[in-house]
Amino acid sequence: MEIKVNFLENLRLEAKFDDFTVITDQPIRYKGDGSAPSPFDYFLASSALCAAYFVRVYCLARNIPTENIRLSQNNIVDPENRYNQIFKIQVELPEDISAKDHEGILRSIERCTVKKVVQTGPEFQIETVENLDEDAQALLMVKPDEEANTWIEGKDLPLEQTIANMSTILADLGMKIEIASWRNIVPHVWSLHIRDAASNMCFTNGKGATKESALCSALGEFIERLSCNFFYNDQFFGEEIANSAFVHYPDEEWFKPGPNDALPEGILDAYCREIYDPEGELRGSHLIDTNSGKAERGIVALPFVRQSDGEVVYFPSNLIENLYLSNGMSAGNTLQEAQVQCLSEIFERAVKREILEQELALPDVPMAVLQRYPEILEGIQALEAQGFPVLVKDASLGGRFPVMCVTLMNPRTGGVFASFGAHPSFEVALERSLTELLQGRSLEGLNDFLPPTFNSQAVSEPNNFVEHFIDSSGLVSWRFFSARSDVEFSDWDFSGTNEEEAATLFGILEGLGKEVYMAVHEDLGAPVCRILVPGYSEVYPVDDLIWDNTNMALDYREDILNLHALSDDRLADLLERLEESQLDDHMDIITLIGIEFDENTDWGQLTILELKLLINLALQQHEEALERVEMFLQYNDNTVERGLFYRAVNAVLEIVLDDELALDDFLYNLRRMFGEATMEAVVGSVRGEVRFHGLTPTSMQLEGLEKHQRLVESYKKLHAARAARAGGA
């Protein structure tokens, strides 16, 4: 993690990382102001807090209350060497804690990350640099041996060369990539989380049988998501990009909707229109893109090549971001390598959906077959030894598709997790199923999965598939666990060269009667393909284009960002539109308007319900405000401080709406209850003197919205690279 430090007044320092700011100072006796803890105080507190965190995680997993558990830490300093210290952590446990849990809690403290890093002894490297924002890959811990040449199945270059090439691409873009975490909880299963140090919303996860293969996976995913703009899905690019010559890619085209908002000629083809608009309800306005929001420019569409005949078909950017998410995109050392990975993922998700929705029972993979792959088997057996039964299933549906499944059962919670993997090679598909199962997860993380169900409707519900797509945490049918399989085991093999495998996978889709459309992006220096298979590879239902389109943001974004500057008439109009929209009152404003507010601010926690409430207060609509504040308090998951503010608002509204009560009679005790500052804001809000308490003013220029600005700056690096390449072409 990159931590940037700023020098403040006197001895005060400011450390910035992610969305947090930490202030340090020195005691007055050391010529500081004593206004904040010293850096060493934070260090001491970090180990105590880390120990307490692991206790809390242990207890939550076993439903053990922590109200009566107390923990403390003291550092005992050697009088002859102050750098030689003993950290004594003591924990007080209730008498009703069992001996087993007593021991388990002590073991959990032993796992404290701060403690383990200190005991291992970190290495400090101190140097000067010309620019802190350069040396883009300095934070990558894995430094492959340049002389080594490690080949794995499916890669057209050695891992070491692949890592070097992808690192160079990101460095040339000026993106500093940091590894936020590593996981290796069973043998031969590695995963990691990497992110852009300057914009941590740009992140990917990687998985593999070794550290190097996992890093390759993460870097490849990072480049594919940059190339396909996935990091910026649904987000506002800002006025500068929105008004530039191109918004997404230099080869994009813009189309004006026809008369009566009809779909314009030139976008999609007859095959796609039949799938995306079967009832003729789709209008041009549904396809205005969220990123630019420029309805006056029309519909921005991207060129894809129809694989059946090589014709170019233009797909609206809005349609892609609404229906496909990251499904069907991949980077590779060669285009064929990228195609194989891309098509494999499409099959993985489509077959998984078919199996889950039809509640199919899959055949077990015989032990004799598993024994061909001793490293994979060792990882599975390590999970079994930890108390997690594992089922290894053939998900090829009778040898038709290159898909495998590894399912974990958790007897402690009754939860299950079905992980699928795909590749033309049986071994690679099986390895991917296992590594996907444990990607980014600790053993405690395996406690979070839902139990199986016999409720067929819940399993087949579209949002269940979305949950499976995001992190495989959705529901699985009990019928999936039947020993009587619905298909026979197949010892399948679709492997060959990447070129042969790509042809095979395209052939399977052709056999299913599917049209396939592909875009290739090589502007960053690595071949990346995005493949769409209409009617097969969508993540969200196609009717979301009409009923749940992300470009609903365009109806509200400008007014909400300009909230403080709106007249009463415009506020009333905004409130009316929100009420008529029938949007979920508990939807957050981040999702509604595509702006990344800092989640630690009131903007970041703001929901549609709270926004309506604040508008009611600004317009002096006290009865409506009281109704909404009562609803807010009933379902509030905001901060304690914000909750207390609205409790005070509730009390004051009750008083002012009662003709027999006078607010002045209650202010003394209200101030004692809630504090002077809170009551000043509350009374001002109810009287209309304070508008939108807690929401700092901003506008379409995004001033003060540092988190979103960092995201936009990240995209500007990408946009500039594309513009330069197009200009030099």
Side-chain angles (χ1 to χ4, degrees):
M1 179 173 68
E2 183 176 51
I3 302 171
K4 290 189 173 180
V5 178
N6 298 317
F7 296 90
L8 306 180
E9 68 279 359
N10 196 13
L11 298 181
R12 283 163 53 85
L13 303 170
E14 175 188 75
K16 285 183 168 288
F17 53 94
D18 295 345
D19 297 322
F20 301 102
T21 299
V22 172
I23 304 293
T24 73
D25 199 353
Q26 292 293 332
I28 294 174
R29 65 182 180 276
Y30 295 139
K31 299 185 178 180
D33 298 318
S35 63
S38 72
F40 189 68
D41 292 336
Y42 279 111
F43 167 67
L44 294 177
S46 70
S47 58
L49 290 168
C50 186
Y53 162 76
F54 278 94
V55 171
R56 179 71 166 160
V57 168
Y58 179 91
C59 292
L60 284 175
R62 293 157 181 82
N63 295 315
I64 300 172
T66 55
E67 289 83 356
N68 297 318
I69 296 177
R70 299 200 301 161
L71 184 144
S72 71
Q73 174 186 290
N74 289 282
N75 60 309
I76 302 169
V77 183
D78 185 337
E80 297 183 2
N81 180 0
R82 67 190 180 101
Y83 301 116
N84 182 26
Q85 300 191 14
I86 297 172
F87 285 18
K88 179 174 283 189
I89 296 175
Q90 296 176 312
V91 60
E92 179 183 311
L93 300 175
E95 292 183 358
D96 59 355
I97 293 280
S98 69
K100 178 181 178 182
D101 285 326
H102 185 286
E103 185 64 28
I105 287 172
L106 294 181
R107 284 201 309 270
S108 74
I109 294 174
E110 287 291 335
R111 299 181 58 217
C112 166
T113 310
V114 175
K115 168 181 149 322
K116 289 195 170 188
V117 170
V118 171
Q119 287 177 326
T120 301
E123 177 185 345
F124 286 83
Q125 299 176 353
I126 302 170
E127 61 186 9
T128 60
V129 295
E130 291 184 8
N131 188 323
L132 286 175
D133 295 323
E134 295 179 354
D135 193 13
Q137 307 316 312
L139 300 179
L140 291 181
M141 275 291 290
V142 174
K143 304 293 183 185
D145 182 354
E146 294 182 0
E147 302 300 318
N149 283 290
T150 306
W151 293 85
I152 63 172
E153 190 170 2
K155 291 291 181 188
D156 286 328
L157 285 177
L159 293 178
E160 294 79 10
Q161 186 62 52
T162 304
I163 292 170
N165 291 347
M166 291 189 289
S167 297
T168 299
I169 289 170
L170 294 170
D172 289 345
L173 280 173
M175 291 190 172
K176 183 181 287 187
I177 304 302
E178 62 183 13
I179 295 177
S181 65
W182 282 100
R183 296 284 186 187
N184 174 222
I185 62 175
V186 300
H188 314 299
V189 178
W190 287 85
S191 68
L192 76 160
H193 178 88
I194 67 172
R195 61 189 186 183
D196 180 354
S199 178
N200 61 19
M201 293 150 289
C202 302
F203 67 85
T204 57
N205 300 300
K207 59 185 184 293
T210 65
K211 295 191 297 293
E212 291 78 12
S213 60
L215 180 56
C216 268
S217 169
L219 290 171
E221 188 173 280
F222 202 98
I223 289 172
E224 81 185 30
R225 295 187 175 197
L226 279 177
S227 293
C228 297
N229 285 356
F230 178 74
F231 288 138
Y232 318 101
N233 222 35
D234 308 342
Q235 303 296 330
F236 179 43
F237 284 162
E239 296 283 8
E240 180 183 340
I241 297 293
N243 292 311
S244 60
F246 69 90
V247 172
H248 300 271
Y249 302 94
D251 60 355
E252 68 192 24
E253 294 286 343
W254 292 77
F255 298 85
K256 292 280 191 180
N260 300 316
D261 201 19
L263 296 182
E265 293 297 323
I267 63 168
L268 305 174
D269 58 15
Y271 177 86
C272 292
R273 291 197 180 206
E274 182 64 30
I275 292 170
Y276 299 134
D277 188 26
E279 306 297 329
E281 297 177 311
L282 192 63
R283 316 313 302 160
S285 57
H286 291 132
L287 300 177
I288 303 299
D289 83 303
T290 310
N291 300 121
S292 71
K294 291 294 180 183
E296 62 272 22
R297 291 183 72 171
I299 299 166
V300 60
L302 311 177
F304 282 71
V305 175
R306 189 167 58 207
Q307 297 302 290
S308 60
D309 59 7
E311 289 295 315
V312 173
V313 176
Y314 282 90
F315 282 74
S317 170
N318 168 283
L319 181 148
I320 298 169
E321 76 172 28
N322 269 284
L323 301 184
Y324 293 95
L325 296 183
S326 65
N327 197 22
M329 59 175 70
S330 187
N333 291 297
T334 62
L335 177 58
Q336 290 75 24
E337 181 186 313
Q339 288 173 330
V340 170
Q341 173 65 15
C342 191
L343 292 166
S344 294
E345 287 188 352
I346 287 173
F347 282 119
E348 172 195 321
R349 286 148 183 171
V351 171
K352 178 179 184 177
R353 184 175 201 155
E354 181 178 348
I355 290 167
L356 292 174
E357 290 183 348
Q358 296 185 19
E359 300 178 275
L360 299 177
L362 301 178
D364 292 321
V365 176
M367 180 55 69
V369 174
L370 288 179
Q371 287 172 341
R372 296 181 203 156
Y373 318 111
E375 291 187 349
I376 297 174
L377 185 57
E378 186 180 355
I380 292 168
Q381 290 171 338
L383 279 173
E384 294 264 5
Q386 291 283 349
F388 299 104
V390 176
L391 310 176
V392 183
K393 301 281 189 177
D394 167 28
S396 69
L397 300 182
R400 296 166 54 213
F401 304 103
V403 185
M404 296 295 295
C405 175
V406 174
T407 301
L408 177 140
M409 306 170 72
N410 190 340
R412 298 170 195 159
T413 64
V416 297
F417 177 26
S419 172
F420 289 72
H423 190 269
S425 161
F426 186 103
E427 179 180 8
V428 174
L430 178 57
E431 178 188 287
R432 287 182 176 174
S433 299
L434 180 60
T435 54
E436 174 69 25
L437 177 75
L438 298 176
Q439 179 172 272
R441 292 186 172 90
S442 62
L443 290 175
E444 288 81 7
L446 300 177
N447 293 325
D448 298 334
F449 304 120
L450 297 171
T453 180
F454 281 109
N455 185 338
S456 299
Q457 185 175 354
V459 171
S460 60
E461 204 270 334
N463 279 341
N464 188 49
F465 175 68
V466 175
E467 293 298 320
H468 276 286
F469 175 83
I470 294 170
D471 61 5
S472 297
S473 63
L475 284 166
V476 177
S477 172
W478 264 119
R479 292 175 176 84
F480 177 84
F481 295 93
S482 172
R484 182 180 298 173
S485 62
D486 292 307
V487 287
E488 295 295 321
F489 169 75
S490 173
D491 197 357
W492 55 267
D493 181 19
F494 297 90
S495 62
T497 65
N498 275 320
E499 187 174 2
E500 292 167 341
E501 290 174 354
T504 297
L505 298 180
F506 278 122
I508 294 174
L509 289 170
E510 184 180 357
L512 294 174
K514 304 295 181 183
E515 284 280 11
V516 180
Y517 304 79
M518 182 171 66
V520 177
H521 305 291
E522 297 184 285
D523 49 338
L524 300 185
V528 174
C529 65
R530 184 161 203 171
I531 295 176
L532 307 178
V533 188
Y536 192 71
S537 65
E538 293 85 5
V539 175
Y540 284 102
V542 295
D543 59 9
D544 275 9
L545 290 172
I546 297 172
W547 302 111
D548 195 21
N549 196 304
T550 59
N551 75 4
M552 71 176 107
L554 309 185
D555 294 331
Y556 310 104
R557 179 188 287 155
E558 184 171 357
D559 280 346
I560 291 175
L561 288 177
N562 290 315
L563 195 62
H564 292 77
L566 296 185
S567 66
D568 285 356
D569 286 343
R570 287 188 63 187
L571 278 176
D573 178 68
L574 172 59
L575 180 60
E576 183 179 0
R577 282 184 281 123
L578 286 170
E579 290 177 333
E580 290 178 350
S581 70
Q582 298 184 333
L583 291 168
D584 181 359
D585 268 349
H586 301 288
M587 177 189 289
D588 58 68
I589 298 301
I590 291 175
T591 301
L592 176 63
I593 65 173
I595 298 292
E596 286 293 336
F597 299 104
D598 182 346
E599 292 182 356
N600 302 303
T601 65
D602 291 327
W603 272 115
Q605 296 292 317
L606 188 66
T607 61
I608 291 176
L609 172 63
E610 187 181 356
L611 177 60
K612 290 177 179 178
L613 166 56
L614 289 170
I615 296 174
N616 288 146
L617 289 172
L619 297 177
Q620 296 291 279
Q621 298 171 345
H622 289 162
E623 291 183 359
E624 294 89 340
L626 179 59
E627 182 180 338
R628 286 198 167 104
V629 78
E630 289 172 345
M631 190 184 306
F632 177 90
L633 291 172
Q634 184 176 359
Y635 298 104
N636 172 48
D637 58 359
N638 210 311
T639 62
V640 172
E641 181 182 6
R642 198 69 169 167
L644 288 173
F645 169 78
Y646 283 114
R647 287 203 179 280
V649 168
N650 186 78
V652 171
L653 286 172
E654 292 273 17
I655 293 167
V656 299
L657 287 170
D658 192 321
D659 293 337
E660 298 181 1
L661 300 177
L663 180 58
D664 287 344
D665 294 340
F666 293 87
L667 283 178
Y668 173 73
N669 282 319
L670 285 170
R671 290 190 179 106
R672 295 181 70 192
M673 172 73 80
F674 297 107
E676 289 283 350
T678 297
M679 285 310 302
E680 184 177 347
V682 168
V683 174
S685 297
V686 172
R687 289 175 175 168
E689 299 160 357
V690 174
R691 291 160 71 95
F692 312 111
H693 172 64
L695 304 182
T696 55
T698 185
S699 73
M700 289 288 281
Q701 303 308 313
L702 308 174
E703 59 268 25
L705 304 184
E706 183 182 348
K707 184 174 183 178
H708 195 86
Q709 287 176 355
R710 293 200 306 268
L711 187 68
V712 172
E713 288 304 313
S714 168
Y715 183 68
K716 283 182 177 178
K717 296 174 185 176
L718 191 58
H719 192 270
R722 288 175 179 156
R725 188 178 181 92

